[in-house]
Amino acid sequence: MREFLKHRFKKIYEINQRYAKPRIQTTRSVRFALIFLKLYLFFLLGILVLKFINSLKGS
Amino acid sequence: MQEQVKAQVLAAHTRRRSIGFIPKLYYHYRRMAKWIAIFLAISGPGIIVMVADNDAGGITTYAVTGSRYGYGLLWFLILLGPAAYYVQEMTVRLGAVTKRGHAEAIFESFGNFWGWFSLLDLVLVNWLTLITEFIGMTAALSIFHIPPYITVMVVSIVMGIMVLQGRYWTWEKVALLFCGLNLIYIPCAFIVQPPVSEVMRGALVPGFPGGFNGNIFFFLMANIGTTIAPWMIFFQQSAVVDKGMDEKDIPFGKVDTLVGSMFTVLVAAFVIILTATMLKGIPIQSAEQASVAMMGINKYLGTFLAIGLFDAGFLGAICISLAGSWAFGEVFGWAHSLNNKIREAPWFYGSYFIAVITAGAVVLIPGAPLVEITLFVQVIAVTLLSAILVFLTLLLNDKELMGKYTNTLFQNIISVTIVSVIIVLSTLYAVSVLFPNLFS
């Protein structure tokens, strides 16, 4: 089991190393799209948290 | 010199004109037969992904839409067909040019953060959607008094046999057979003899039955959510790669996707026509309820509706489970083709079976929060869909990657419009699922 986990973590480390640098050129439109996505994800996370709090209050 | 060339061209032209009608016809026949043979060999991923898009959740949405709004929202579904085509067509080009699945393309182009986000979100949303497919299948067969555990066991075994036979080609042809069964709604709708003029009005004249309100808005968004889903993008691109499609096959891949998008709209429209004709005004909450209610009116139609629901869930399940395993295989570098034997690709098949068995097991847990899962899956799907659509558009504009297959200005205008509308509406859908009273 330990060997298995060690091997898996090693693989994840390798993947992180392999794809550490994004290949796509970070033009203005790419930067804008990625910033938009991050903000959008924060928004969705926010409404999920809100829903969770509401359901806790409801119960 | 110029005179000589002119004479040669004239001679060739005269020769062509002198070919008789029959040889010309034979030539065109042979050309067409060759084209059809190539198309039949290459087609598959587009038709399968589009038909499987009408999964258990989709059939439920269409059945409820038909029983509530009659034929009034048919026009909206017809608009969704081209939107689905344009999104999926981009995956064909991306897969055929890069020979990589979508997960790997995101890792490579956008780095670790977005790569892991997409992969883990895909795995989560696929697994949750797989649960909803099992819910649909068990509900459909429970109408015929088949216990859920039998359904889950048999379906898991059949899904296992389908992938373990060791050839992508065979898997695809079996999947296409099930796609054929999905068309069962079309003859059903003809049997009930709907009023053609009303159907045509609903299909061609845009309008909102009962006025535009929160409820109808919810249904419009639900129909978008069932027509364009994140797993479809991953599935089709990986299927294009697994099938070994090349750049020269792109035109055939596009036709395959176009035919699939027509099928998906046809099936959705005919489910609406069927339920609008037979169940208008009856408060239906699910496709299972629609089948039972239909059985009360016409036993055979109700039975066909239930069989169709099972088939829709099964088609969704076989595609969704593969999309996740392909994505994992691409990123982790495992062998990940249906052409591999289980010995050659143990992790690929292992992840596939883990997803299928655990999703099936959740449905069998007494008191499992299935309603919450169905709601939650919409929100998670929206987080991934928006990200994937943005990545897809950026990748298709990467000249270094796509070469001459980069999006043209016209394609960009269409895709950016579609992507923007889908992001806005699917987000509103997710919000309305979480807060149902917000838009009412």
Side-chain angles (χ1 to χ4, degrees):
Chain A
M1 189 67 186
R2 231 171 98 182
E3 272 304 303
F4 171 81
L5 286 175
K6 203 174 147 187
H7 184 70
R8 285 301 109 207
F9 280 118
K10 196 179 157 200
K11 190 82 194 167
I12 290 168
Y13 178 76
E14 276 172 21
I15 292 167
N16 284 338
Q17 290 295 309
R18 197 185 323 149
Y19 300 115
K21 203 168 178 291
R23 189 198 50 78
I24 205 158
Q25 277 188 329
T26 46
T27 58
R28 194 181 289 175
S29 60
V30 173
R31 268 203 303 275
F32 170 78
L34 297 181
I35 290 170
F36 160 78
L37 265 183
K38 278 187 182 161
L39 291 174
Y40 178 78
L41 290 176
F42 276 121
F43 163 72
L44 283 172
L45 193 69
I47 60 165
L48 269 177
V49 171
L50 194 64
K51 175 69 182 176
F52 181 66
I53 293 168
N54 277 358
S55 51
L56 277 184
K57 277 181 187 169
S59 62
Chain B
M1 187 66 184
Q2 248 185 353
E3 289 298 313
Q4 254 182 348
V5 172
K6 263 186 190 170
Q8 276 174 1
V9 169
L10 192 70
H13 185 65
T14 318
R15 263 202 309 277
R16 264 204 308 275
R17 286 191 67 179
S18 65
I19 297 173
F21 175 71
I22 301 291
K24 236 184 213 174
L25 199 69
Y26 180 68
Y27 167 74
H28 285 300
Y29 159 75
R30 287 294 302 240
R31 213 174 137 192
M32 185 61 79
K34 192 180 164 193
W35 196 93
I36 292 171
I38 297 172
F39 174 71
L40 288 177
I42 289 171
S43 68
I47 293 175
I48 292 171
V49 78
M50 288 291 192
V51 177
D53 174 41
N54 288 332
D55 60 353
I59 299 296
T60 294
T61 306
Y62 306 135
V64 178
T65 304
S67 67
R68 286 207 188 176
Y69 299 106
Y71 314 112
L73 292 181
L74 278 175
W75 62 272
F76 186 71
L77 270 177
I78 292 168
L79 283 182
L80 285 178
Y85 166 75
Y86 271 105
V87 171
Q88 292 303 128
E89 178 270 333
M90 289 198 276
T91 66
V92 175
R93 273 188 285 150
L94 195 55
V97 172
T98 63
K99 314 282 184 295
R100 287 191 191 122
H102 204 66
E104 198 182 350
I106 293 173
F107 262 97
E108 206 241 338
S109 295
F110 300 99
N112 295 332
F113 173 78
W114 290 113
W116 285 116
F117 165 78
S118 305
L119 183 67
L120 297 177
D121 206 348
L122 175 80
V123 170
L124 182 63
V125 75
N126 278 5
W127 188 70
L128 291 172
T129 315
L130 200 53
I131 294 173
T132 65
E133 306 301 355
F134 272 107
I135 294 171
M137 286 187 280
T138 51
L141 293 190
S142 68
I143 295 170
F144 306 113
H145 310 293
I146 296 173
Y149 73 92
I150 298 275
T151 306
V152 169
M153 261 172 51
V154 173
V155 164
S156 305
I157 291 169
V158 173
M159 285 174 72
I161 294 169
M162 272 183 78
V163 294
L164 288 178
Q165 42 72 33
R167 280 187 72 193
Y168 172 84
W169 191 91
T170 313
W171 180 90
E172 189 184 89
K173 299 310 163 209
V174 176
L176 281 170
L177 269 179
F178 283 102
C179 287
L181 191 59
N182 203 251
L183 305 178
I184 197 168
Y185 299 108
I186 298 176
C188 286
F190 278 106
I191 290 169
V192 300
Q193 296 181 327
V196 178
S197 59
E198 278 184 48
V199 172
M200 293 308 284
R201 195 180 313 128
L204 300 175
V205 183
F208 302 104
F212 191 82
N213 54 39
N215 280 333
I216 209 160
F217 187 51
F218 181 86
F219 272 92
L220 294 179
M221 290 185 290
N223 278 291
I224 291 178
T226 55
T227 310
I228 298 160
W231 67 265
M232 293 168 68
I233 292 160
F234 285 86
F235 176 87
Q236 192 168 2
Q237 192 170 330
S238 296
V240 162
V241 175
D242 206 349
K243 191 159 185 170
M245 279 170 70
D246 218 333
E247 288 175 28
K248 66 179 187 312
D249 302 324
I250 289 175
F252 295 101
K254 284 183 176 186
V255 177
D256 176 40
T257 311
L258 183 69
V259 172
S261 66
M262 287 197 267
F263 275 138
T264 197
V265 171
L266 266 181
V267 170
F270 277 91
V271 175
I272 290 186
I273 292 170
L274 181 64
T275 51
T277 310
M278 301 297 282
L279 306 171
K280 178 88 198 292
I282 300 173
I284 296 295
Q285 300 292 332
S286 66
E288 179 204 0
Q289 278 183 16
S291 306
V292 174
M294 194 87 82
M295 274 177 173
I297 306 165
N298 184 321
K299 193 181 159 192
Y300 296 107
L301 285 179
T303 306
F304 288 149
L305 194 60
I307 292 171
L309 175 63
F310 172 80
D311 180 60
F314 185 74
L315 260 178
I318 59 173
C319 294
I320 289 165
S321 46
L322 261 186
S325 299
W326 265 325
F328 256 122
E330 288 156 15
V331 174
F332 279 83
W334 306 330
H336 57 274
S337 171
L338 284 173
N339 294 319
N340 291 125
K341 299 281 178 207
I342 194 163
R343 281 192 310 277
E344 298 159 352
W347 288 103
F348 171 64
Y349 290 111
S351 60
Y352 175 86
F353 280 111
I354 288 170
V356 171
I357 292 167
T358 52
V362 168
V363 181
L364 300 179
I365 298 171
L370 300 182
V371 177
E372 283 78 4
I373 287 172
T374 312
L375 295 180
F376 193 61
V377 75
Q378 309 293 348
V379 185
I380 304 294
V382 166
T383 60
L384 185 59
L385 182 63
S386 314
I388 296 307
L389 289 177
V390 170
F391 292 143
L392 191 63
T393 312
L394 290 176
L395 286 169
L396 265 289
N397 278 288
D398 186 358
K399 278 202 171 66
E400 196 188 325
L401 185 74
M402 296 300 296
K404 65 175 179 174
Y405 295 98
T406 309
N407 266 4
T408 60
L409 178 66
F410 176 69
Q411 284 171 324
N412 267 336
I413 291 170
I414 293 179
S415 67
V416 168
T417 309
I418 292 170
V419 166
S420 309
V421 171
I422 289 171
I423 289 176
V424 171
L425 290 183
S426 56
T427 307
L428 289 172
Y429 180 48
V431 174
S432 67
V433 166
L434 290 175
F435 304 98
N437 298 325
L438 203 65
F439 298 108
S440 57

